[in-house]
Amino acid sequence: MFDRCIYFNTTALARQLDRVWTAAFAPFDLTPPQGFMLRAVLARPGLLQSELADELKIARATTTRGLDGLEAKGLIVRTKSSGDKRESLITPTAAALEIKDALNAASAAVTQRLSGLFGAEVFAGFVDQAKAIAAKLE
Amino acid sequence: MFDRCIYFNTTALARQLDRVWTAAFAPFDLTPPQGFMLRAVLARPGLLQSELADELKIARATTTRGLDGLEAKGLIVRTKSSGDKRESLITPTAAALEIKDALNAASAAVTQRLSGLFGAEVFAGFVDQAKAIAAKLE
DNA sequence: TCATAATAGTTGCATATCTAACCACTGGAG
DNA sequence: CTCCAGTGGTTAGATATGCAACTATTATGA
């Protein structure tokens, strides 16, 4: 019915991809948003919370809640910046470091599988276009 | 950081598109999911609730909640099927019919604008690919 | 015919997301 | 130095979404 609508088809695809990554991250007891947030923290320990929000392209408020969840699971810690007392530095805990490689591998495996399913070129082209369109909308 | 990830880039794009359609539907006091649900009901009055869920590619439970909202706004009515008493037929109210054309036009205008922004071919190609990828994931 | 399986819709619970409003702190402009 | 604007983070309130479990109804099959 909304065959030609970018909104409809993109959000529908996003929901389906969410299911795929939900399965991939289930062994770690992490939802996709939690998994990606943790991966970002693991990739760049010591990030400011606002930088994390930028990196993940989510609102600052959403970052607060996401980190609350990871903190409750003992996967990250917030440290008040010694300089600017408003800022929080986010660092992964030992428990997070332990699953780092497996988590990244799980995500890479899904990417690999989908890339094969659609054809590597089509897959990469689609992702590039999604990025390009998002950039133009900013 | 997740430059090559279809999950990350698709969900991020979906959030941005949500903002665009939020603005487009704001004059009607409808959110994007509400607007699309109403458009589906307007396009095919008398649809069963489960058919509506399929059409919109959302869970039945989500359809229930969405229709609750539209019903509260006086835009749709549920009628128990005379045959199978489990079923509900969804029909738009007169108030909904009044905004039908303007609502469709508002969405078409956004589509038009974005299509121009990215180039009509790129735009259509992207939407087709999103649909094709979603179909393969089913 | 009657027990059981399947289906339509709802409800409960959990998560993610946003905007707006707020607090605490920082940094300039007078 | 002081006030005021800006910034980092949090909180409040709203919406959307899913899965799982439930109710009511219908269909099947022994």
Side-chain angles (χ1 to χ4, degrees):
Chain A
M1 182 170 306
F2 302 114
D3 260 6
R4 308 240 158 274
C5 181
I6 191 173
Y7 170 86
F8 181 79
N9 287 289
T10 302
T11 55
L13 176 58
R15 289 193 293 274
Q16 278 193 272
L17 290 170
D18 191 78
R19 255 170 251 145
V20 177
W21 261 266
T22 293
F25 287 164
F28 305 97
D29 191 32
L30 293 171
T31 63
Q34 288 168 349
F36 276 84
M37 185 173 279
L38 184 55
R39 289 179 70 203
V41 173
L42 284 164
R44 306 184 45 182
L47 221 57
L48 295 187
Q49 209 166 304
S50 54
E51 291 171 337
L52 184 59
D54 285 349
E55 198 73 65
L56 297 175
K57 298 185 200 292
I58 54 179
R60 290 200 316 279
T62 306
T63 311
T64 295
R65 265 64 181 263
L67 289 173
D68 288 349
L70 293 177
E71 202 174 37
K73 289 186 173 185
L75 293 168
I76 63 104
V77 289
R78 286 162 156 119
T79 318
K80 275 276 171 261
S81 163
S82 52
D84 190 327
K85 284 187 192 99
R86 292 168 301 182
E87 297 175 339
S88 280
L89 305 171
I90 314 300
T91 45
T93 63
L97 290 168
E98 265 174 39
I99 63 170
K100 175 180 178 181
D101 292 341
L103 189 61
N104 285 331
S107 195
V110 177
T111 295
Q112 203 65 28
R113 180 164 67 82
L114 299 191
S115 181
L117 193 56
F118 310 130
E121 257 180 64
V122 170
F123 184 84
F126 178 78
V127 175
D128 279 347
Q129 271 191 336
K131 230 179 358 178
I133 291 175
K136 273 209 188 175
L137 284 179
E138 260 163 25
Chain B
M1 180 173 304
F2 303 113
D3 259 7
R4 308 239 158 276
C5 181
I6 191 173
Y7 170 86
F8 181 79
N9 287 289
T10 301
T11 54
L13 176 58
R15 288 193 293 275
Q16 278 192 275
L17 290 171
D18 192 79
R19 255 171 251 143
V20 177
W21 262 266
T22 293
F25 287 163
F28 305 96
D29 191 31
L30 293 171
T31 63
Q34 289 169 348
F36 277 85
M37 184 172 279
L38 184 56
R39 288 179 70 204
V41 174
L42 284 164
R44 305 186 44 184
L47 221 57
L48 295 186
Q49 210 167 304
S50 55
E51 292 170 336
L52 184 59
D54 285 349
E55 199 73 65
L56 297 173
K57 297 183 200 290
I58 55 179
R60 289 200 316 279
T62 305
T63 311
T64 295
R65 268 67 182 257
L67 289 173
D68 287 349
L70 293 178
E71 202 174 35
K73 290 186 173 187
L75 293 168
I76 62 105
V77 290
R78 286 161 156 120
T79 317
K80 275 275 171 264
S81 164
S82 52
D84 190 327
K85 286 189 192 96
R86 292 169 300 184
E87 297 176 338
S88 280
L89 305 171
I90 314 300
T91 46
T93 63
L97 289 168
E98 262 173 40
I99 63 170
K100 175 180 178 182
D101 292 342
L103 189 60
N104 286 330
S107 194
V110 177
T111 295
Q112 203 66 27
R113 180 163 68 80
L114 299 192
S115 182
L117 193 56
F118 310 130
E121 256 180 67
V122 170
F123 183 83
F126 179 79
V127 175
D128 278 348
Q129 271 190 336
K131 229 178 357 175
I133 290 174
K136 274 211 189 176
L137 284 178
E138 261 164 25

